[in-house]
Amino acid sequence: MWSILLNSNTQWVLLSTAILGIAAGTIGSLAYWKRQSLMSDALAHAALPGVIIAFLLFKVKHLFVLITGAAISAVIGAFFIQGIRSSTRIKEDTAMGMILSIFYGFGIMLLTIANRTSGNQSGLNNFILGQSASMVQSDVWTMSILAILVVSIVVIGFKEWKIYLFDRQFASGLGLPLKGMDVVYTILLVTTIVVGIQAVGVILIAALLIIPAVSARYWTHSFQAMVIISALFGGASGTIGTLISAIGNGWPTGPFIVVLAASFFIISLIFGKEKGILVQYWQMKRHKKQEIIQSIPTSVLKKEVQ
Amino acid sequence: MNEVVLEVKNLTAAYQKNTVLRDVNFQVEAGSLTGIVGPNGAGKSTLIKTMLALHPVLSGEVHFFGSTYKKVKKRIGYVPQRGSVDWDFPTIALDVVMMGLYGQIGWLRRPTKTHQRMAFEALDKMGMADYANRQISQLSGGQQQRVFLARALVQNADIYFMDEPLAGVDAATERAIMKILDELKAAGKTVMVVHHDLQTVADYFDHVLFLNRTVIKHGKTNDVYTEDNIATTYGGSIRLIGGRIGNVVHPVKQ
C-alpha cells in the first residue's frame, strides 16, 4: 500500500482529484441555488458521445482533445434541452431525462463501434465509471489547471455570483450582465464536468457536483461558508476515493468517490448543526420541556380560581 | 409643473402571444408619489418590468430624465415583489441590504466597513436594526419586505419603483413603509408603487395611475380618484363604505 502512496504519479493524481473535487463542490453550490442540480447530470451524460467522436476523428487519446469533444457534445445537449423546453409543451425535467438517456445511449453505441473498429481503445471505457489510475502527467496538468481556473472565476466574482443567484431582477437593475453570466456559468459547469469525466466517469460526475453542496447546507447559514464546506467535502471525497481505487489496483474511481460523498452527506444529515436530524430532535425536546414547565403554574392557578 | 423625470410613449409589451400592455402613455413629475392601481392581470408588474428593461419592449419608448434607461440605471431603484426571490437562500438581512451598494462598491471588489455601516443604518431606519444578523429565512413576511426596502434605500436612487410593497404586511410594517415613502417624497425623490388596497389610495398617494392593459386615467389623486374611473378600470361595480370608495366587486370573466 505504501509503495503506491509514495509513487509520485499517484501523488499527482491524488492532488488533481482533490482540486477537481474542490471545483465540483464550488460549482455544485452555484448549481444548487440555480436549481440546476439535475442539469449537471444531463450534461455529464451528454458528454459521452463527444469523447468517442473526438477519438474516432483524431485517433488520439490526449485528454485535452477528448474533453474538448465532451464539452461540445455537452453544450449541444444543453441547447437541445433549452430548445425542447422553449418550443414544445415538454417540461424541462422531461427534456433533461430525454437528452440524458438519448445522448448516453448514442455514446455507448459509438463506444461499441470504436471498440470493434480501432485497436488501441481500451482507455475509452474508463470514461464511463472513471479510472484515475489511467491518468498520465499531462492529463493531471490539464485537469488541475482547468479546475483551478473554474474555482478562481467563482472566487473573484463571488459577490456578483451571490446576487446573480439570489435576485436576478435586482442584479439586472444594478447593471450586471446576466446573459453574459449565464454563459460563464454554463462554461464553468461544463468545464468542471468534462475535466472530471476521466477521473470520475460520465455516469457519476454529477454526484460530485450535487452531493457536497447539499451536505454543506446542513452546516451553515452563510452562502460563503456553504461554498467552502462544499468544496472541502468535494475535495475530500475526490482524494479519498482515488486513494481507495489506487490501492485496489484497477478499481473504478467514480463509485468510490460517490460513496464517500454520500457518507459525508449522511453524517451531515444526522449531525449537521443546521437542521440536522439530531439537532432538530434535541431542540424540539428541549422546547417541549420548557413549554411544560411554563404551563404548569398557569394551569394550577386556573384550577384554584375555579 | 415640476420637471418630467419619466416619460412613457406608446409602450406595448407582450407575453408570448398575449399583448399585456397596449399603447401606454404617461409622464411623471419629479417629487411625486404615484399609486399604480388596476385589477389582477392588468399589467402593473409588467409595466414596471418593461420600463426597467426586465421585460422586452414590443414597441414604444421609455425615457428617464430625458435619457435612456441604460444611461441612468444608477439613478433608478427597484423593489421587486417579495415572492420573486427564494428566502431560503443562505444569507443574513445585512447582506441583502448590502446588495444595494454593489454598484457603489464596484464590481469584483469587496465591501468595506463603511458600506456595512451604511447598510446597517438603512436597516435601522426601517426598524430592523435588531435583525441585521438574522438569517433571512427566519424573517416574517413584513420583515422581509422591510429588508427589501432598506436595500432600495441604500441605493440612494432618484426614482423608485416598488411592486406591491404593502401586500401581505402587518399594520406596523405598512406604517413604517409609508413613512419612508413620505420621506423619500419630501427629499424630492420620485416614487411609483403598485398598490392593491383601494381604501388607502387617497391617503397614501398624491398621484394615481389607473391601469388595465393601457392607461385608463392618470393624474392628481384629488382630480382623478373617482368612482367612475375606478369602475372603468376594474370593469365592475363598486360599493361605498362610509362614504369612501370601498371594495370592488368584479364580475368573473376572461
Side-chain angles (χ1 to χ4, degrees), chain A residues 167-207:
Chain A
D167 194 344
R168 274 180 83 89
Q169 290 180 350
F170 194 76
S172 158
L174 288 175
L176 272 186
L178 291 184
K179 290 259 162 66
M181 289 183 79
D182 281 338
V183 172
V184 175
Y185 163 80
T186 309
I187 291 173
L188 294 182
L189 184 65
V190 169
T191 307
T192 312
I193 290 169
V194 300
V195 299
I197 55 177
Q198 188 179 24
V200 189
V202 292
I203 297 185
L204 295 173
I205 180 71

Side-chain angles (χ1 to χ4, degrees), chain A residues 17 20 44-45 48 51-52 104 108 111 122-135 196-208 241-242 245 250-259:
Chain A
T17 45
L20 169 74
H45 282 73
L48 185 63
V51 176
I52 319 291
Y104 183 68
I108 293 292
L111 180 63
S122 59
L124 284 180
N125 289 333
N126 292 334
F127 281 89
I128 295 173
L129 284 175
Q131 183 53 270
S132 57
S134 70
M135 288 170 67
I197 55 177
Q198 188 179 24
V200 189
V202 292
I203 297 185
L204 295 173
I205 180 71
L208 196 56
T242 309
S245 149
W251 288 349
T253 333
F256 287 101
I257 292 182
V258 172
V259 167

Side-chain angles (χ1 to χ4, degrees), chain B residues 35-54:
Chain B
I36 304 174
V37 295
N40 290 337
K44 303 183 294 288
S45 297
T46 311
L47 173 64
I48 290 189
K49 286 183 187 168
T50 312
M51 291 191 292
L52 301 182
L54 294 167

Side-chain angles (χ1 to χ4, degrees), chain A residues 53-134:
Chain A
I53 291 171
F55 172 76
L56 288 174
L57 285 178
F58 298 101
K59 302 282 176 203
V60 287
K61 282 223 309 266
H62 193 283
L63 183 66
F64 194 74
V65 174
L66 299 186
I67 67 173
T68 305
I72 293 169
S73 169
V75 168
I76 291 172
F79 274 123
F80 271 122
I81 292 169
Q82 184 68 28
I84 291 170
R85 200 192 59 179
S86 58
S87 62
T88 69
R89 300 174 57 180
I90 298 165
K91 296 268 190 299
E92 189 170 28
D93 57 336
T94 315
M96 286 194 286
M98 285 165 62
I99 294 303
L100 184 153
S101 38
I102 293 168
F103 272 63
Y104 183 68
F106 183 55
I108 293 292
M109 191 189 87
L110 288 175
L111 180 63
T112 316
I113 295 170
N115 279 343
R116 291 270 163 82
T117 53
S118 35
N120 180 30
Q121 75 305 87
S122 59
L124 284 180
N125 289 333
N126 292 334
F127 281 89
I128 295 173
L129 284 175
Q131 183 53 270
S132 57
S134 70

